[in-house]
Amino acid sequence: LTEGRNIPTILEAFASPKVNAHVVFLGDGKFGSLIHGYSARHSNIHLLSPVRPTEVVHYVAACDVGLCLSQPICLSYKLSLSNKALEYISAGIPFFYTDLPEVSRLLGPAFNSWLIRDPACDLTEAIAALTVRAIQEAKSNMRSLRLPSWDEEAEAMLSTYLQLMP
């Protein structure tokens, strides 16, 4: 629960009377006390204690939708493929995501409507507009996603390195 993940924006969205949904934060960190304050005032905002990394996908699988709203505050973040995205895919849970090229590439065009270009302006409306049908359709599309294996990724990386070497 740290910088670069749009946590204050998520809290504001779920504190809005337009949103009739719950949000669960899992873990601890810099924004723990802020989340705790919001959860004391809003019955739909929850903070759970940290769990072991091997248990995260199990917890995520209990959700309807995820939020992977990383802020591209530097080139490394912009080009990253976050654990959060991989955990949602592993759990078969559709998720709203920010404009990160690797996440977009992995999800493909079937998930363009889940892209949140400006979370501060668009997140509340996107959550409020979400329907059960849209979630079910996205979950169905999630089943067609395939995470590449390390061997596949290593082969592509090695090939690129070999092309770059004199």
Side-chain angles (χ1 to χ4, degrees), residues 101-112:
E102 288 303 306
V103 175
S104 295
R105 181 184 62 79
L106 188 60
L107 292 176
F111 291 92
N112 286 347

Side-chain angles (χ1 to χ4, degrees), residues 3-132:
E3 298 279 349
R5 297 181 180 179
N6 275 298
I7 290 174
T9 300
I10 294 167
L11 290 168
E12 285 298 314
F14 281 88
S16 169
K18 294 179 180 180
V19 172
N20 183 24
H22 290 253
V23 64
V24 177
F25 293 90
L26 185 62
D28 60 17
K30 178 181 178 177
F31 286 103
S33 59
L34 179 66
I35 296 166
H36 182 72
Y38 269 81
S39 69
R41 294 187 308 276
H42 302 279
S43 62
N44 65 325
I45 298 175
H46 313 277
L47 175 60
L48 300 180
S49 298
V51 299
R52 284 189 239 147
T54 57
E55 297 175 348
V56 172
V57 172
H58 169 74
Y59 278 83
V60 167
C63 300
D64 294 318
V65 170
L67 298 166
C68 182
L69 303 178
S70 300
Q71 295 168 274
I73 55 179
C74 65
L75 189 58
S76 177
Y77 283 18
K78 181 179 177 81
L79 298 177
S80 71
L81 180 56
S82 72
N83 287 346
K84 214 178 264 328
L86 298 173
E87 290 158 350
Y88 290 135
I89 293 169
S90 294
I93 301 301
F95 57 96
F96 289 112
Y97 63 99
T98 48
D99 195 10
L100 303 174
E102 288 303 306
V103 175
S104 295
R105 181 184 62 79
L106 188 60
L107 292 176
F111 291 92
N112 286 347
S113 65
W114 291 80
L115 172 63
I116 306 292
R117 291 192 188 281
D118 184 350
C121 293
D122 303 329
L123 182 60
T124 301
E125 294 301 324
I127 296 166
L130 201 54
T131 65
V132 172

